[in-house]
Amino acid sequence: PRDPNGCPVSARAAAFNPFEPAYMQAPGDYLRWAREQEPVFWSPQLGYWIVTRYEDVKAVFRDNLLFSPAVALEKITPATPEVMGILQSYGFAMNRTMVNEDEPDHMARRRLLMDAFLPERLATLEPMIRALAREYMDRFIDKGRADLVAEMFYEIPLNIALKFLGVPDEGAEQLRQFAVAHTLNTWGRPTAQEQLDIAHNVGRFWQTAQNILDGMRAQPDGEGWMYETIRQHLKHPDVVPESYLRSMMMAILAAAHETTSNATANAFHTLLTHRQSWDDICANPALIPNAVEECLRVAGSIIAWRRQATADTQVGGVAIPKGARLLLVQASANFDPRHFENPDDIDVYRESAVEHLTFGYGAHQCMGKNIGRMQMRIFLEEFVRRLPHMRLVPGQAMSYLSNTSFRGPDALWVVWEPALNPERSGS
Ligand code: HEM
């Protein structure tokens, strides 16, 4: 095959397939060859240019005019007419939200909706997160064994997301079943048959989100970010239009919830498989905030994000034609030795850890990054205090949902000896 510039595609570029398990198992390793030999390459299987080095990924993120985020939530596997028909039957109308909006609309909207993310506002969530963490741990702390994903890391970030957004709790149970469908619909490669089921679930997700939104709009004085968004829509309908409200109601649930659940599970897996790092944070919990950054670097929960070139340009010396789509693989950039010394070492003392690209970069950088970080920090603080001797169940295979972008294990089994719990023994 040849790339859109007419150049022959190398065998490794032709073989690149983010839907095979090796990509999810270790995306940084999977693209090591590319960082070294062909840092920007055309993937015929995906129809995207793949960008793998730190400086290139950052440069593309930085210029959101030349590299538009409009394609960020596109279906990476194009919909068949049948799938389109199903989605339409549910009134599905996913449009621009925040993450895929172009300037100048994006910045005007982001400014109007930023207040709830300010550190002093977020600090008010901390006691609730800690209380939930303790309560969930109490349920299993005497059992000596738990799947941390199913028993804690899935649910608490969901609860916190709903609380932050102001979404009534009754919505939670309905919404959680649709999360996987949304991820596969947007970033996965389901078969034609699977796509039909997924389309129905995405359609139901859309309708549920609309019903919740309509309920909230009927009482627009409620507390939470979606209520603030509704009030800004009433005041500035040109900046926060109706279509934004509707699309965001669905998109933000995935953005605020799964990203944090997955990042937490990835962090615990990383630290428990590098026991020295775990022991270091147990001995000195003040290291936890930096350990969180190092975990986001080596095992982030968003591993690749998309942009589209708005003019003929170059990335890393490779010609990129106008209209071309790019997959920026942050999980590869975060292992680039041109930026991080000994990138394969997990080092909770690493000063540059915070320079990872897991939250994106520039004008669209994640608005919720401090909510994610805060939850990860609190969970680690509670575990290193209460279960410092916890271990991974040895030999468990980690499995991941096949998709380009959302990465977190389906389960994370740990064991401990309840009698050694320091709080119980009073030590
Ligand atoms: C955008 C990752 C948690 C809300 C983004 C982007 C990434 C990302 C990669 C796109 C950045 C870009 O285009 O430059 C993550 C990760 C999280 C996380 C890894 C957890 C560890 C959250 C939470 C919330 C949130 C908890 C909300 C409560 C948003 C919003 C945007 C965004 C609103 C759009 C910002 C814009 O386009 O201006 N996030 N996110 N995220 N995220 Fe997060």
Side-chain angles (χ1 to χ4, degrees):
R2 293 186 173 264
D3 72 19
N5 299 325
C7 302
V9 171
S10 72
R12 300 202 79 157
F16 172 76
N17 175 7
F19 307 109
E20 73 179 344
Y23 170 81
M24 268 293 157
Q25 286 295 329
D29 285 345
Y30 187 76
L31 281 163
R32 188 182 300 273
W33 69 272
R35 285 193 299 285
E36 287 166 6
Q37 296 161 29
E38 213 181 335
V40 179
F41 68 90
W42 170 254
S43 162
Q45 294 198 43
L46 210 56
Y48 275 67
W49 293 91
I50 315 298
V51 185
T52 64
R53 280 190 186 165
Y54 186 92
E55 280 311 321
D56 295 336
V57 170
K58 189 167 171 175
V60 174
F61 270 128
R62 188 189 287 127
D63 192 342
N64 63 321
L65 302 179
L66 186 52
F67 300 103
S68 162
V71 295
L73 303 181
E74 233 177 39
K75 277 170 66 59
I76 207 160
T77 300
T80 60
E82 206 176 351
V83 165
M84 297 293 280
I86 293 171
L87 289 172
Q88 272 161 16
S89 74
Y90 289 92
F92 181 77
M94 183 61 114
N95 205 305
R96 302 291 182 112
T97 61
M98 180 84 77
V99 81
N100 58 354
E101 183 63 275
D102 282 309
E103 304 303 347
D105 295 12
H106 163 259
M107 238 342 135
R109 192 174 301 155
R110 182 166 164 131
R111 283 207 191 91
L112 276 187
L113 299 174
M114 198 60 188
D115 283 4
F117 294 96
L118 296 174
E120 53 278 19
R121 291 272 304 272
L122 295 186
T124 62
L125 287 173
E126 174 151 357
M128 188 199 319
I129 299 169
R130 196 173 298 279
L132 277 175
R134 292 197 63 90
E135 185 190 316
Y136 274 71
M137 286 180 80
D138 287 343
R139 293 181 195 167
F140 56 64
I141 199 151
D142 289 329
K143 287 198 325 198
R145 183 180 170 89
D147 168 6
L148 295 181
V149 172
E151 294 175 59
M152 181 163 173
F153 298 157
Y154 188 83
E155 284 185 22
I156 297 181
L158 174 61
N159 284 330
I160 297 299
L162 296 175
K163 181 78 192 165
F164 172 80
L165 298 171
V167 172
D169 284 348
E170 312 85 77
E173 209 36 58
Q174 293 170 286
L175 292 168
R176 54 190 297 164
Q177 53 179 317
F178 302 133
V180 167
H182 174 55
T183 305
L184 288 175
N185 184 53
T186 313
W187 295 283
R189 179 125 306 174
T191 63
Q193 187 52 43
E194 288 164 341
Q195 285 206 49
L196 302 179
D197 288 344
I198 290 171
H200 281 290
N201 275 323
V202 169
R204 290 185 195 114
F205 188 6
W206 175 263
Q207 285 195 337
T208 305
Q210 302 314 310
N211 292 340
I212 293 172
L213 178 64
D214 291 341
M216 294 171 80
R217 288 175 79 173
Q219 300 177 349
D221 52 352
E223 228 183 282
W225 190 64
M226 275 315 292
Y227 282 111
E228 291 174 33
T229 301
I230 290 167
R231 293 193 285 269
Q232 293 290 23
H233 160 69
L234 295 173
K235 271 197 267 178
H236 310 276
D238 47 331
V239 184
V240 182
E242 166 95 24
S243 66
Y244 162 84
L245 273 191
R246 302 214 160 274
S247 299
M248 197 56 161
M249 188 66 224
M250 186 175 129
I252 192 65
L253 288 160
H257 166 217
E258 284 171 87
T259 51
T260 307
S261 292
N262 286 335
T264 304
N266 291 343
F268 275 75
H269 181 250
T270 300
L271 294 168
L272 291 170
T273 45
H274 296 83
R275 192 74 200 183
Q276 188 56 49
S277 299
W278 176 264
D279 291 343
D280 285 352
I281 63 167
C282 289
N284 181 9
L287 287 170
I288 289 175
N290 205 59
V292 166
E293 298 308 324
E294 181 69 344
C295 290
L296 286 166
R297 181 183 74 86
V298 300
S301 50
I302 298 280
I303 59 172
W305 208 244
R306 288 178 283 168
R307 291 289 190 263
Q308 181 170 35
T310 57
D312 287 347
T313 183
Q314 290 204 341
V315 175
V318 173
I320 303 289
K322 178 177 176 177
R325 288 169 168 73
L326 295 91
L327 185 75
L328 314 176
V329 189
Q330 297 127 291
S332 170
N334 288 344
F335 281 95
D336 189 342
R338 289 156 205 82
H339 191 84
F340 295 104
E341 204 176 317
N342 300 322
D344 297 309
D345 294 351
I346 282 142
D347 175 3
V348 296
Y349 297 90
R350 185 188 294 277
E351 283 173 14
S352 62
V354 67
E355 291 165 21
H356 64 75
L357 297 173
T358 299
F359 292 121
Y361 185 78
H364 285 271
Q365 197 188 42
C366 179
M367 287 170 85
K369 63 186 179 180
N370 291 325
I371 306 180
R373 284 172 165 148
M374 175 165 62
Q375 294 188 64
M376 294 170 75
R377 167 174 62 76
I378 293 170
F379 296 152
L380 284 169
E381 285 168 355
E382 292 302 319
F383 274 91
V384 302
R385 195 152 46 77
R386 300 182 76 184
L387 290 177
H389 47 278
M390 175 172 94
R391 296 190 172 271
L392 282 182
V393 169
Q396 66 182 305
M398 306 306 281
S399 71
Y400 300 89
L401 189 68
S402 171
N403 77 101
T404 56
S405 299
F406 277 58
R407 180 174 184 269
D410 294 334
L412 188 68
W413 283 98
V414 290
V415 281
W416 63 91
E417 181 49 63
L420 293 180
N421 176 350
E423 285 186 348
R424 184 193 261 201
S425 61
S427 60

